[in-house]
Amino acid sequence: QVQLVESGGGLVQPGGSLRLSCAASGFTFSNYAMRWYRQAPGKERELVAAISSTGAITNYEDSVKDRFTISRDNAKYTVYLQMNSLKPEDTAVYYCYTRERLHGTNYWGKGTLVTVSS
């Protein structure tokens, strides 16, 4: 019932930009904090950015904090990740995530691939 669907990934050159979207359904989106994770080949999945339910509070992993921006539109049930000044090391599958606090259930999207290469 809960569904998270990422989109917007693709191939970009170093220094370029992409905007990822995560469309949510099956729950009251405005009550949930949202997160973006990424997983590069051969590496562990890592938290990239997080946003509170209202969008008032955001947090970023240090390597992206001056380049990426997480935002949300609760009316559209969508969370975004604007990625600027992309580097090859940003290459990864990017996942949308939220947690149902009552049951402690984790919800993941299927991911969208971002490749930064010339």
Side-chain angles (χ1 to χ4, degrees), residues 5 29 33 64 77 88 112 116:
V5 181
F29 181 74
V64 310
Y77 273 51
T112 185
V116 185

Side-chain angles (χ1 to χ4, degrees), residues 11-17 67 84-91 115-118:
L11 174 64
V12 295
Q13 295 185 355
S17 297
R67 301 183 294 119
N84 299 325
S85 302
L86 283 162
K87 304 175 181 179
E89 51 263 45
D90 295 318
T91 296
T115 302
V116 185
S117 176
S118 59

Side-chain angles (χ1 to χ4, degrees), residues 78-117:
T78 302
V79 62
Y80 305 95
L81 186 67
Q82 178 67 46
M83 306 185 295
N84 299 325
S85 302
L86 283 162
K87 304 175 181 179
E89 51 263 45
D90 295 318
T91 296
V93 177
Y94 284 72
Y95 297 91
C96 186
Y97 168 91
T98 194
R99 183 172 69 90
E100 205 292 306
R101 299 182 69 181
L102 178 61
H103 299 140
T105 305
N106 300 310
Y107 296 105
W108 296 91
K110 293 181 179 180
T112 185
L113 176 62
V114 173
T115 302
V116 185
S117 176

